[in-house]
Amino acid sequence: MSAAGATPARRSRGRQGPPLRGSPTAGPVGGPSADSAAPATAIAPAGRAAADGTNGQVAAATAARPATAGAAAGQIGAPAAARGPARPSVTPAEAALAALGSGGREWPRPRSCRMITIANQKGGVGKTTSAVNLAASLALHGARVLVVDLDPQGNASTALDVEHRAGTASVYNVLVEDQPLAGIVRPVADIPGLYCAPATIDLAGAEIELVPLVAREARLGRAFADYDASSLDYILIDCPPSLGLLTVNALVAAAEVLIPIQCEYYALEGLEQLLRTIDLVKSHLNPALYVSTILLTMYDGRTRLASQVAEEVREHFGDVVLSTVIPRSVRVSEAPSYGQSVMTYDPGSSGAQAYLEAAREVADRAAELGQTG
């Protein structure tokens, strides 16, 4: 017989012939081959494996049983560790405090609510980032803080994960339609004691719609006058990058101004115009207004320019400038895309630590000025 004719006969005997005695992988007639028998045995019911214990397959079933039990955790026969008590959950605020290493100690709280406008007509200097992270740091240490998003871009609302889609009740409705401020304030989920008054894209048209209204510069101040802020320690107003009516409303409503200054040359060019605007508002609309804080942001210690700008600002403004500088940090930039401040997103980063120290200075200055109870 030729080799070609013998080959089908061998294959037929290999497929239909009797299994080798004692072979643990052998199957019934017409069943799977030896290479696929082990997986078939692994998924066989436990009763079937027990019934076939006399033909050597019980060994394969026993070997596969731990994997099956692990896949069905909680069933009889599951490891004892899986039935143990669950660990208590840790909130984002608690995790942030543990990573920050501040021990959760409450900082000095002001005797009455401090209203601080964060303004600079130059864009990209860290107004929103500073507002959000200073507010988060203060709230983590016992203060009750409201962030008022006055920027039509709504970036502060995004960073605090507060709904601000078009049509949502927002600061626009307060300024233009005289809705009460209390009706739009929302709590921030991850940080107890932190609240946000969101901004929507509707606010972009407020600059024009406010023009014909009576006392258009004092609309926000009037809303705060009707709002019960007795339970709050801080109100931080995040302004748009302009000196229009929205920023003027913020300057009229607040007593303090915090100016973030980017440690670059161009950041100093528009500072004179901002200070002139503040003086005009103080002279005609809000005599109590003053620049209480200047915060140096985006500091790059590798460049000589950053050090020169910091020195020049300190020489000109003196003790108003916080001793803490905010370094450039990728984590600070990433955090808003996750709907978080950097304090909860990566509390161990250099940016989070810097904002923590800056917020501590803001809180301690209230005690130095006799504003704490």
Side-chain angles (χ1 to χ4, degrees), residues 248-330:
V248 171
N249 264 268
L251 294 174
V252 172
E256 302 181 44
V257 181
L258 185 153
I259 305 176
I261 298 179
Q262 185 180 7
C263 291
E264 293 182 1
Y265 173 74
Y266 288 123
L268 297 175
E269 286 195 332
L271 191 57
E272 182 179 354
Q273 185 180 2
L274 174 62
L275 295 175
R276 189 182 304 115
T277 301
I278 293 173
D279 288 338
L280 288 173
V281 172
K282 181 176 182 178
S283 301
H284 298 90
L285 299 169
N286 184 7
L289 184 67
Y290 71 104
V291 177
S292 65
T293 310
I294 291 180
L295 177 63
L296 296 170
T297 63
M298 303 181 188
Y299 182 85
D300 189 348
R302 299 171 299 177
T303 64
R304 181 178 301 177
L305 177 62
S307 300
Q308 291 175 343
V309 171
E311 292 175 4
E312 187 174 344
V313 171
R314 293 187 190 282
E315 289 177 2
H316 189 273
F317 293 100
D319 293 338
V320 173
V321 185
L322 296 182
S323 60
T324 303
V325 296
I326 309 300
R328 288 190 177 275
S329 171
V330 174

Side-chain angles (χ1 to χ4, degrees), residues 209-232:
E209 296 180 58
L210 286 172
V211 171
L213 300 182
V214 177
R216 57 181 180 264
E217 302 91 351
R219 304 282 292 186
L220 184 61
R222 189 170 65 183
F224 280 123
D226 297 333
Y227 178 72
D228 183 12
S230 59
S231 62
L232 295 175

Side-chain angles (χ1 to χ4, degrees), residues 118 128 130-136 144-150 156-157 160 162 171 181 184-186 188 193-199 224 232 234-238:
I118 301 178
T128 298
S130 298
V132 167
N133 290 300
L134 290 176
R144 295 174 63 85
V145 188
L146 169 63
V147 175
V148 178
D149 192 353
L150 210 58
S157 306
L160 296 176
V162 174
V171 176
L181 182 63
I184 70 166
V185 172
R186 300 288 179 266
V188 176
L194 182 57
Y195 305 87
C196 177
F224 280 123
L232 295 175
Y234 296 89
I235 295 177
L236 304 183
I237 307 174
D238 180 34

Side-chain angles (χ1 to χ4, degrees), residues 36-63:
S36 61
T41 306
I43 62 174
R48 172 79 175 274
D52 294 339
T54 57
N55 63 3
Q57 292 183 356
V58 66
T62 303

